């Protein structure tokens, strides 16, 4: 169906944005999907549709772009992720909070109709039940990133209740994809390991071997995002982040699965500060609410993800 207005993605040059922009362009038409970021984008993104250099904290420029392209939907992906945020506390808080405020304010003032803002499993903390973590439970994060995501969820809910802003959110687990590099998270090891495996070099893991975390293959993350954004408003019963899940594994299990395809692959463990971050997160997620409310269902298994990652990255290497 044709669009008259545009969709703006902020933080479009990152791990999720690179893939989300291309899928949105495929579905809605290249010229209606405006990519924006502090840094430039991939050739594919630059050549297929509009791109604007934008610092989301530049409120005037954000407003100008929304008006210039007649934007009715914003996907706000710009953030500092968990590992980076532990190193740059104030910068992370500023970006993760004020970027969201500026977009929510534009929606409140009637410039945009719908907002997508991703949350994370980082809203949970060490006191949260670790396994099959429910949608509503103890949320006492002990990381800068987690605190910003929890606060962000509450602001989304507030703007929805008080001003009727149509803002939607998912608590992504760690995301794994071959098209773009991850940007400073604690789950990045689960992408980096594949690059080392196909290059035929050993992998040094910054998490210890038994650290089990929830993860998802990128096509499922993109599907969940678009499904939530397309769902009729009455089905979106939660205006905090929805739990979404696919599979969980430890570094040791991932290395074993990779070895089924690359028998000589080796891994060693040298945990650093990211171990503490990972130790505070769930090992698996209960996503019943997303399944019931708007029909979420993952397509990709752990085994399929490993095979597909290795196949695609091997094509690049050879
Ligand atoms: P990323 O770090 O790969 O990408 C973020 C992008 O934002 C980068 O391209 C960066 O240049 C851009 N950016 C940074 N500061 C900016 C600014 N001031 N103005 C405009 N752009 C700016 O992150 P990602 O993995 O693509 O994550 C996107 C969102 O999804 C984030 O909110 C993140 O917290 C959330 N999330 C990601 C994961 C994951 O595993 N990737 C998991 C849970 C939640
Ligand atoms: N994958 C993200 C991170 O590690 C979770 O939000 O920061």
């Amino acid at each position: 169906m044709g669009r008259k207005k545009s969709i703006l993605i902020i933080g479009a040059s990152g791990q999720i944005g690179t893939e989300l922009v291309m899928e949105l362009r495929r579905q809605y038409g290249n010229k209606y999907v405006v990519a924006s970021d502090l840094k430039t984008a991939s050739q594919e993104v630059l050549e297929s549709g509009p791109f604007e250099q934008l610092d989301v904290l530049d409120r005037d420029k954000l407003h100008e772009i929304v008006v210039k392209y007649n934007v009715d939907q914003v996907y706000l992906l710009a953030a500092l992720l968990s590992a980076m945020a532990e190193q740059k506390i104030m910068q992370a808080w500023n970006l993760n909070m004020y970027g969201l405020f500026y977009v929510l304010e534009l929606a409140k003032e009637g410039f945009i109709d719908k907002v997508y803002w991703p949350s994370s499993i980082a809203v949970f903390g060490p006191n949260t039940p670790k396994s099959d973590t429910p949608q509503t439970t103890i949320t006492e994060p002990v990381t800068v990133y987690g605190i910003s995501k929890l606060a962000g969820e509450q602001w989304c809910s507030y703007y929805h209740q008080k001003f009727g802003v149509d803002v939607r959110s998912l608590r992504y687990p760690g995301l794994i994809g071959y098209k773009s590099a991850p940007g400073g998270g604690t789950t990045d090891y689960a992408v980096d390991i594949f690059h080392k495996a196909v290059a035929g070099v050993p992998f040094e893991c910054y998490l210890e071997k038994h650290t089990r975390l929830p993860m998802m293959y990128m096509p499922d993350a993109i599907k969940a995002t678009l499904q939530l954004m397309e769902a009729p408003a009455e089905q979106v019963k939660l205006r905090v982040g929805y739990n979404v899940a696919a599979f969980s594994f430890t570094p040791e299990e991932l290395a074993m699965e990779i070895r089924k395809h690359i028998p000589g692959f080796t891994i060693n463990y040298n945990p650093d500060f990211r171990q503490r971050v990972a130790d505070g997160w769930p090992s698996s997620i209960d996503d019943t609410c997303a399944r019931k409310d708007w029909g979420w269902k993952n397509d990709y298994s752990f085994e399929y993800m490993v095979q597909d990652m290795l196949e695609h990255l091997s094509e690049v290497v050879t």
Side-chain angles (χ1 to χ4, degrees):
M1 214 167 53
R3 286 184 71 81
K4 291 209 171 61
K5 297 195 167 190
S6 299
I7 298 170
L8 174 66
I9 296 100
I10 304 169
S13 306
Q15 191 196 9
I16 300 173
T18 303
E19 301 208 29
L20 183 65
V21 167
M22 295 315 298
E23 184 54 28
L24 284 167
R25 284 187 177 161
R26 201 184 63 73
Q27 293 199 14
Y28 298 110
N30 290 350
K31 68 178 177 180
Y32 295 114
V33 178
V34 183
S36 75
D37 202 292
L38 268 185
K39 62 183 188 196
T40 192
S42 67
Q43 277 306 106
E44 193 183 27
V45 167
L46 291 176
E47 283 166 8
S48 58
F51 175 82
E52 291 278 349
Q53 193 132 25
L54 171 68
D55 178 350
V56 69
L57 299 178
D58 182 344
R59 207 172 173 175
D60 293 337
K61 178 128 193 231
L62 170 63
H63 182 256
E64 192 186 302
I65 289 173
V66 165
V67 173
K68 175 177 169 188
Y69 290 97
N70 200 11
V71 168
D72 67 341
Q73 287 187 25
V74 170
Y75 288 74
L76 173 56
L77 305 179
L80 281 199
L81 275 75
S82 58
M84 197 71 89
E86 289 302 294
Q87 315 284 346
K88 299 180 177 178
I89 296 176
M90 288 311 294
Q91 193 186 326
W93 181 256
N94 269 336
L95 173 60
N96 296 6
M97 286 294 90
Y98 286 97
L100 177 60
F101 270 130
Y102 296 162
V103 171
L104 289 174
E105 278 291 305
L106 281 174
K108 178 187 137 196
E109 289 162 10
F111 287 97
I112 43 190
D113 299 336
K114 215 189 260 189
V115 176
Y116 177 75
W117 177 81
S119 185
S120 162
I121 54 166
V123 297
F124 301 116
N127 299 326
T128 305
K130 252 197 152 14
S131 147
D132 286 328
T133 302
Q135 174 70 43
T136 306
T137 180
I138 298 165
T139 42
E140 295 173 354
V142 292
T143 62
V144 176
Y145 177 70
I147 294 167
S148 75
K149 289 297 182 188
L150 182 60
E153 284 197 10
Q154 295 306 315
W155 281 117
C156 289
S157 174
Y158 178 87
Y159 270 74
H160 176 71
Q161 285 176 48
K162 185 141 187 190
F163 307 116
V165 169
D166 189 353
V167 53
R168 303 171 182 211
S169 181
L170 296 174
R171 290 173 181 158
Y172 293 130
L175 301 182
I176 302 166
Y178 58 88
K179 292 187 182 162
S180 51
T186 300
T187 58
D188 292 12
Y189 92 85
V191 178
D192 299 339
I193 191 172
F194 286 100
H195 291 269
K196 291 287 190 283
V198 295
V201 294
F203 179 66
E204 184 170 294
C205 186
Y206 55 76
L207 297 182
E208 64 94 9
K209 60 167 79 168
H210 298 305
T211 310
R212 182 175 302 282
L213 290 171
M215 301 274 185
M216 182 179 283
Y217 201 28
M218 190 62 85
D220 268 338
I222 302 293
K223 178 178 117 165
T225 306
L226 298 183
Q227 202 177 336
L228 175 66
M229 284 297 272
E230 285 302 316
E234 63 275 11
Q235 286 180 16
V236 186
K237 297 186 178 13
L238 302 174
R239 298 300 176 143
V240 293
Y242 270 96
N243 280 8
V244 281
F247 42 75
S248 297
F249 55 76
T250 66
E252 185 179 46
E253 288 164 354
L254 179 55
M256 277 165 56
E257 192 62 29
I258 290 174
R259 250 181 243 119
K260 289 183 187 165
H261 304 267
I262 305 176
F265 174 64
T266 59
I267 182 168
N268 57 71
Y269 302 92
N270 187 11
D272 66 14
F273 71 97
R274 289 168 279 195
Q275 185 64 48
R276 173 185 169 268
V277 177
D279 285 343
W281 289 354
S283 57
S284 63
I285 296 287
D286 180 336
D287 60 1
T288 309
C289 292
R291 288 174 192 263
K292 269 198 198 141
D293 288 0
W294 42 274
W296 157 246
K297 185 177 171 301
N298 64 300
D299 291 330
Y300 294 93
S301 67
F302 172 50
E303 292 77 11
Y304 179 89
M305 177 277 292
V306 171
Q307 183 186 327
D308 204 54
M309 284 290 289
L310 290 173
E311 277 173 14
H312 280 98
L313 291 175
S314 303
E315 280 166 18
V316 176
V317 167
T318 51

